Amino acid sequence: MTSSPHPIGVFDSGVGGLSVLRAMRALMPEESILYFGDQRHVPYGPRSMEQIQNFSEGITKFLLNHDSKLIVVACNTASAAALTYLRGCFAKRAVSFVGMEPAVKPAAETTKTGRVGVLATPATFQGALYASVVERFGAGVEFFQHTCPGLVSQIEKGELNSADTRAILEDALFPMLDASRNIDTVVLGCTHYPFVIPLIEQILGENVRVIDPAPSVAKQVKRLLEAAGTKNQSQGRASVRFFTSGNPTEMKSMLPVLLGESGEVEAVVWKNDREVI
Ligand code: DGL
């Protein structure tokens, strides 16, 4: 059996990808990971496709220069805007990418009312990826979308349970609770949102199922590493290196809250829109 000690590169616009990292750590503690949060540019949601593609290219280059064996785009917005672009840019490097897509498939398979709510950023809803998952897996299901303006910034500030955060969520979820809509499933189409699941569940009550795709993404990463023969076969818990283009002290203080473990955070600087040092 072959094995590779090289790290997995994971990135997001900010701390949202830590929800995916958390699931990866639970499933594959032996894998070392590089986590890049582009907090200088968060939120990505309202930005243009071109800008998100440039940032994603710069971050991927950085992660590959640090020997990443696989790249996880732990951001629905960057996946929607840039996953196909990244696969094209880095085709010669023979590196695999795992991206996020709203969990329309499991929602469509399990909804009993045929009505599903989806929370994601504007860029995710505008991208071809969302249209394609709805077309492929959403037949016979009605989807109700909401972009939750301001929610990513609240989570970046660590406001997981404040009155303002609740107000943003109520604005998104109250219409979904309307009896005429009869929604029984809500899909979290942004990796920041799992950090407010307790609040979401409080608002929705116990009759609505909330889907966080992070555990399925972690399983997909594991399958790909096994298929490529690059899974780390050694035992024990490997380390995570954290990088931010924002404030390292702020990200460091969020790690125990969001990830349940602490770590050092290194600062990186954007030289231009496509290059980070
Ligand atoms: N975590 C992101 C996502 O999954 C980021 C959203 C943003 O930066 O606006 O979409």
Side-chain angles (χ1 to χ4, degrees):
M1 210 183 289
T2 55
S3 173
S4 163
H6 290 303
I8 301 170
V10 180
F11 77 89
D12 178 51
S13 59
V15 294
L18 295 174
S19 66
V20 180
L21 174 55
R22 185 174 58 179
M24 290 170 60
R25 292 290 274 167
L27 190 68
M28 301 169 280
E30 68 286 353
E31 293 293 342
S32 44
I33 297 177
L34 307 176
Y35 183 86
F36 189 117
D38 189 10
Q39 293 181 297
R40 162 99 198 271
H41 295 131
V42 69
Y44 276 8
R47 290 180 182 275
S48 72
M49 296 276 170
E50 192 193 347
Q51 226 180 4
I52 301 169
Q53 287 172 354
N54 288 342
F55 298 156
S56 300
E57 183 183 342
I59 297 167
T60 301
K61 241 185 255 162
F62 176 88
L63 293 171
L64 291 176
N65 287 345
H66 284 76
D67 287 334
S68 295
K69 59 184 173 185
L70 180 140
I71 303 292
V72 181
V73 185
C75 175
N76 289 76
T77 307
S79 300
L83 192 54
T84 308
Y85 173 81
L86 290 175
R87 288 191 169 122
C89 285
F90 296 96
K92 289 210 180 98
R93 302 286 293 259
V95 59
S96 292
F97 289 88
V98 174
M100 308 293 301
E101 61 183 28
V104 161
K105 189 175 180 220
E109 283 167 357
T110 53
T111 173
K112 295 207 166 45
T113 60
R115 279 142 178 264
V116 170
V118 185
L119 305 182
T121 67
T124 296
F125 285 131
Q126 280 151 24
L129 193 60
Y130 179 65
S132 128
V133 286
V134 168
E135 194 185 310
R136 279 183 291 145
F137 307 117
V141 177
E142 208 175 336
F143 293 94
F144 297 87
Q145 280 114 237
H146 202 289
T147 57
C148 302
L151 185 55
V152 166
S153 303
Q154 289 297 108
I155 295 166
E156 285 289 320
K157 284 190 277 178
E159 290 200 20
L160 307 183
N161 199 12
S162 71
D164 287 348
T165 305
R166 176 179 275 274
I168 294 170
L169 283 169
E170 285 179 348
D171 204 41
L173 299 173
F174 277 165
M176 295 189 183
L177 283 174
D178 190 298
S180 64
R181 293 234 164 121
N182 205 14
I183 284 171
D184 68 352
T185 309
V186 169
V187 170
L188 304 185
C190 168
T191 54
H192 279 76
Y193 301 168
F195 293 120
V196 287
I197 284 179
L199 201 46
I200 292 175
E201 288 182 336
Q202 256 178 45
I203 298 168
L204 287 175
E206 55 190 23
N207 294 329
V208 181
R209 179 178 173 229
V210 178
I211 303 185
D212 168 12
S216 315
V217 172
K219 280 188 206 149
Q220 167 72 354
V221 171
K222 189 173 177 200
R223 272 195 296 271
L224 278 180
L225 292 176
E226 280 166 355
T230 50
K231 187 143 189 341
N232 192 354
Q233 303 299 343
S234 46
Q235 306 291 318
R237 197 167 173 79
S239 62
V240 184
R241 265 180 92 179
F242 298 92
F243 301 92
T244 181
S245 56
N247 183 328
T249 315
E250 276 170 25
M251 189 196 258
K252 184 176 158 65
S253 71
M254 298 280 285
L255 294 177
V257 184
L258 301 180
L259 197 58
E261 61 181 281
S262 42
E264 292 309 315
V265 180
E266 299 166 54
V268 289
V269 176
W270 283 98
K271 208 166 138 197
N272 57 52
D273 268 9
R274 283 190 183 164
E275 214 177 333
V276 79
I277 45 177

